Amino acid sequence: QQQVKQSPQSLIVQKGGISIINCAYENTAFDYFPWYQQFPGKGPALLIAIRPDVSEKKEGRFTISFNKSAKQFSLHIMDSQPGDSATYFCAASSYSGAGSYQLTFGKGTKLSVIP
Amino acid sequence: DSGVTQTPKHLITATGQRVTLRCSPRSGDLSVYWYQQSLDQGLQFLIQYYNGEERAKGNILERFSAQQFPDLHSELNLSSLELGDSALYFCASSGGNSYNEQFFGPGTRLTVL
């Protein structure tokens, strides 16, 4: 059972445009929602994260929007650049006791920013 | 650079063999998580250790096992390897001010022939 659904699977955006990736979750116990960026041959890198007590978090060109009632969150990349071309994963986690926070990942979105 | 190191970077082996993947967490992090990344399954959580003790299990096969040593490095052992075990294996570590934040290593690419 996929607990975090991510869309689209792939995305092509013009340089300078806005990239939008969406995720939806089912488990209401999730209380931490990070986004990871992965370049080919590299490990996922933590990009930005949000907790459900806020509806939006912005860091530079990256913004997370969070809708708790709809159980959805999204990543917006403003002024997209060719260097942003990578695979983006949304994730969700909850504390499961004894120092354990398990991340459940979406399937990923391959973003291509064309000049 | 996340501060998490993994060795080896690449591993090629044959079916039925056994391999060991190694991970060193960021300095000060007590938790180590192992993930498998394949094209069709995405990133799947395998197992977590915290300060030497197993804390959580995900979709880990019985042929796979892990441990965390007193110096906090961790090893993932994969045995009786099958073609389908070919994948990228990542470890991540967390700790310090925020146990939620997991920082990933560069991964080990395992190819089973």
Side-chain angles (χ1 to χ4, degrees):
Chain A
Q1 180 187 5
Q2 184 184 359
Q3 295 191 47
V4 178
K5 293 184 178 180
Q6 183 172 346
S7 63
Q9 192 172 353
S10 62
L11 182 61
I12 300 175
V13 172
Q14 204 89 26
K15 178 184 174 182
I18 303 174
S19 304
I20 301 174
I21 305 171
N22 301 300
C23 285
Y25 63 97
E26 299 164 3
N27 187 349
T28 56
F30 289 144
D31 60 3
Y32 174 73
F33 302 88
W35 284 88
Y36 282 83
Q37 179 189 56
Q38 185 177 27
F39 292 103
K42 304 290 186 182
L46 181 62
L47 190 61
I48 187 173
I50 197 168
R51 296 186 184 277
D53 52 345
V54 297
S55 60
E56 186 174 283
K57 183 175 181 180
K58 184 177 181 179
E59 289 185 1
R61 296 185 293 108
F62 300 91
T63 300
I64 300 179
S65 297
F66 186 84
N67 186 328
K68 188 174 182 179
S69 61
K71 293 187 285 186
Q72 295 175 347
F73 58 109
S74 60
L75 175 70
H76 294 235
I77 305 175
M78 311 299 287
D79 188 26
S80 299
Q81 299 296 312
D84 297 329
S85 298
T87 299
Y88 292 81
F89 294 92
C90 63
S93 80
S94 62
Y95 183 62
S96 52
S100 177
Y101 293 88
Q102 294 183 48
L103 280 174
T104 301
F105 284 87
K107 292 281 190 181
T109 297
K110 186 174 182 179
L111 171 66
S112 299
V113 181
I114 55 177
Chain B
D1 183 2
S2 66
V4 178
T5 61
Q6 288 186 250
T7 56
K9 193 172 177 61
H10 301 281
L11 201 49
I12 301 174
T13 188
T15 55
Q17 295 298 304
R18 182 179 188 273
V19 297
T20 297
L21 313 183
R22 182 188 170 105
C23 167
S24 293
R26 294 187 317 158
S27 177
D29 284 358
L30 299 180
S31 277
V32 170
Y33 300 78
W34 285 97
Y35 291 86
Q36 180 190 58
Q37 186 176 38
S38 59
L39 282 174
D40 56 343
Q41 292 294 321
L43 272 160
Q44 297 282 314
F45 167 70
L46 296 178
I47 196 166
Q48 180 212 356
Y49 277 79
Y50 176 83
N51 202 21
E53 295 184 2
E54 181 184 308
R55 285 297 169 90
K57 263 185 174 180
N59 301 318
I60 188 166
L61 300 172
E62 286 191 9
R63 301 183 286 107
F64 295 1
S65 65
Q67 53 185 327
Q68 186 179 28
F69 296 87
D71 66 352
L72 301 178
H73 90 271
S74 178
E75 293 180 356
L76 179 67
N77 300 295
L78 314 177
S79 62
S80 302
L81 285 168
E82 302 174 359
L83 294 177
D85 297 327
S86 295
L88 275 165
Y89 292 85
F90 291 102
C91 80
S93 73
S94 70
N97 294 327
S98 176
Y99 279 88
N100 261 336
E101 295 181 346
Q102 293 185 26
F103 296 88
F104 282 73
T108 293
R109 180 175 291 279
L110 173 66
T111 302
V112 182
L113 301 176

